[in-house]
């Protein structure tokens, strides 16, 4: 298959049209306590209220909406143990096509069940012996299915960019925008929207301390690979950026900073107690950076993307205790 061109803001606009009436236009929340503590005016784009509980629905649905008749007939394939699996399964069901998801044999039962619940066919593999990308490629070839990876795809990036488009459409120009990153799909789409709609806005990426491959990549000017990091931010536990995502990040993201797991827990508690919302650890990355003054924000208008809310309840109870 021929490589697709790099994503642009026009692709985000196209994705927004395809998602209209399908994806939720998620709320933008504010908190006077958060503003008092930080001295800033902070707008939270709450993708924990998105369908299936995270922004990933936007990219997955947009990518599948581009399928031609032949691709629709063979179906979609992906590898993921997390929110992208559910996003692909739900999007495929809405599009009326078959979805196959390659998941590790020890993936959390709740996630396997959720993916199957949306009608996805789950194929498990041994994550210590097999490589999911190879399995994915092999299955795609054998079955003629189209592989939609979790972040390194122009249609996925463009779909993810629609959240920040909605945010800035609602708030007007921002001085700063904080976005978490794993493989970088969300932040590269977000940066395309910010650059077009609020050109003076500084885009800042936030990663877990244990998995700062993006920060290292930006510093070195090349994609740095790390070992699978140990962090409660499982949605940002990827080991490297993608080629499409790194190209956008290099151009449009000013800096990448990190926060600790303890800071994520503190932020999860803030969201639950003060704002009455459930946010998964990864979804707290950007807010944790602002709350902890990782980058000075005093007097600024600040956008914060809250990326998702899928957390096991017993675990949440542990974090909040
Ligand atoms: C996937 C995911 C991320 C990271 O997104 P990337 O596009 O890989 O950078 C962040 N938060 C949540 C909730 C996710 O599911």
């Amino acid at each position: 298959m021929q490589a697709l061109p790099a994503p642009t803001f026009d692709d985000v606009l196209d994705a927004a049209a395809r998602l209209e009436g399908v994806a939720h236009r998620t709320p933008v929340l504010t908190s006077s306590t958060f503003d008092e503590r930080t001295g800033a005016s902070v707008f939270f784009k709450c993708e924990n209220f998105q369908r299936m509980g995270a922004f990933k629905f936007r990219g997955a649905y947009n990518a599948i909406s581009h399928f031609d008749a032949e691709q629709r007939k063979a179906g979609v394939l992906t590898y993921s143990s997390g929110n992208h699996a559910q996003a692909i399964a739900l999007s495929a069901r809405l599009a009326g096509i078959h979805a196959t998801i390659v998941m590790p044999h020890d993936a959390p039962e709740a996630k396997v069940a959720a993916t199957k619940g949306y009608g996805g066919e789950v194929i498990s593999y041994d994550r210590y012996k097999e490589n999911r990308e190879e399995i994915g490629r092999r299955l795609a070839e054998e079955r003629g299915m189209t592989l939609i990876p979790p972040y390194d795809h122009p249609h996925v990036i463009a779909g993810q960019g629609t959240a920040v488009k909605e945010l800035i459409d609602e708030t007007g120009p921002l001085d700063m925008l904080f976005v978490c990153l794993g493989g970088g799909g969300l932040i590269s789409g977000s940066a395309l929207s910010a650059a077009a709609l609020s050109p003076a806005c500084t885009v800042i990426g936030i990663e877990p301390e244990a998995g700062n491959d993006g920060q290292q990549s930006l510093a070195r000017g090349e994609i740095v690979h790390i070992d699978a990091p140990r962090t409660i931010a499982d949605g940002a536990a990827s080991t490297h950026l993608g080629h499409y995502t790194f190209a956008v990040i290099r151009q449009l993201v000013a800096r990448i900073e990190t926060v600790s797991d303890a800071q994520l827990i503190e932020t999860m508690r803030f969201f639950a107690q003060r704002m009455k919302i459930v946010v998964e650890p990864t979804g707290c990355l950007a807010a944790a950076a602002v709350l902890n003054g990782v980058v000075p924000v005093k007097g600024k208008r600040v956008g914060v993307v809250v990326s998702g809310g899928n957390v096991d309840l017993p675990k949440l109870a542990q974090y909040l205790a």
Side-chain angles (χ1 to χ4, degrees):
M1 207 177 78
Q2 224 179 342
L4 291 161
T8 65
F9 182 62
D10 278 343
D11 298 319
V12 178
L13 293 176
D14 175 73
R18 290 165 185 267
L19 288 166
E20 178 84 50
V22 185
H24 294 319
R25 190 181 179 95
T26 54
V28 176
L29 300 185
T30 57
S31 156
S32 49
T33 308
F34 199 96
D35 285 358
E36 266 163 39
R37 282 206 202 165
T38 58
S41 201
V42 181
F43 302 94
F44 298 96
K45 179 62 172 170
C46 291
E47 287 293 297
N48 52 320
F49 291 122
Q50 188 49 265
R51 293 185 80 161
M52 53 63 55
F55 70 90
K56 290 253 177 23
F57 176 70
R58 297 174 182 267
Y61 186 87
N62 184 50
I64 288 176
S65 78
H66 282 266
F67 281 20
D68 63 22
E70 204 175 311
Q71 288 176 301
R72 292 176 51 87
K73 207 170 144 207
V76 61
L77 173 82
T78 198
Y79 40 76
S80 165
S81 53
N83 288 331
H84 181 65
Q86 291 169 62
I88 286 287
L90 173 59
S91 302
R93 195 186 71 187
L94 294 172
I97 70 172
H98 183 82
T100 301
I101 323 283
V102 179
M103 291 179 109
H105 68 290
D106 57 352
E109 201 40 57
K111 289 193 167 161
V112 177
T115 305
K116 286 182 176 164
Y118 288 127
E121 175 199 4
V122 174
I123 294 186
S124 50
Y125 73 102
D126 185 339
R127 72 156 110 208
Y128 301 107
K129 292 185 185 146
E130 300 165 286
N131 176 312
R132 68 179 193 175
E133 300 178 19
E134 259 165 43
I135 295 174
R137 266 195 294 274
R138 180 164 50 73
L139 276 171
E141 255 171 47
E142 281 172 11
R143 301 186 179 190
M145 302 176 100
T146 303
L147 176 66
I148 299 296
Y151 52 86
D152 205 25
H153 189 292
H155 297 157
V156 172
I157 293 168
Q160 318 305 32
T162 59
V164 163
K165 177 194 173 291
E166 288 172 9
L167 170 66
I168 300 175
D169 282 347
E170 191 165 332
T171 62
L174 297 168
D175 299 314
M176 307 170 92
L177 176 69
F178 288 77
V179 187
C180 57
L181 71 149
L186 177 63
I187 195 172
S188 37
S190 301
L192 290 172
S193 289
L197 300 173
S198 182
C201 177
T202 305
V203 180
I204 297 158
I206 306 296
E207 287 184 305
E209 216 166 65
N212 73 333
D213 61 288
Q215 188 180 43
Q216 293 184 45
S217 302
L218 203 53
R220 278 209 230 156
E222 63 185 26
I223 297 172
V224 171
H225 290 244
I226 58 168
D227 291 335
R230 273 178 187 277
T231 169
I232 60 169
D234 55 337
S238 51
T239 58
H240 57 92
L241 298 175
H243 294 283
Y244 286 108
T245 59
F246 183 54
V248 178
I249 289 168
R250 254 185 119 162
Q251 211 193 336
L252 299 178
V253 173
R255 56 201 275 196
I256 296 178
E257 301 294 339
T258 64
V259 297
S260 67
D261 280 5
Q263 290 171 326
L264 292 178
I265 290 174
E266 177 203 1
T267 306
M268 225 179 310
R269 300 190 69 197
F270 182 92
F271 278 131
Q273 188 154 48
R274 295 292 182 150
M275 296 177 68
K276 324 299 175 194
I277 60 175
V278 172
V279 183
E280 65 184 273
T282 315
C284 292
L285 281 163
V290 178
L291 195 56
N292 286 281
V294 169
V295 178
V297 294
K298 206 160 184 235
K300 306 283 190 198
R301 286 169 54 79
V302 177
V304 166
V305 178
V306 175
S307 58
N310 292 331
V311 52
D312 284 339
L313 288 184
K315 264 203 183 153
L316 178 70
Q318 248 178 32
Y319 295 139
L320 298 184

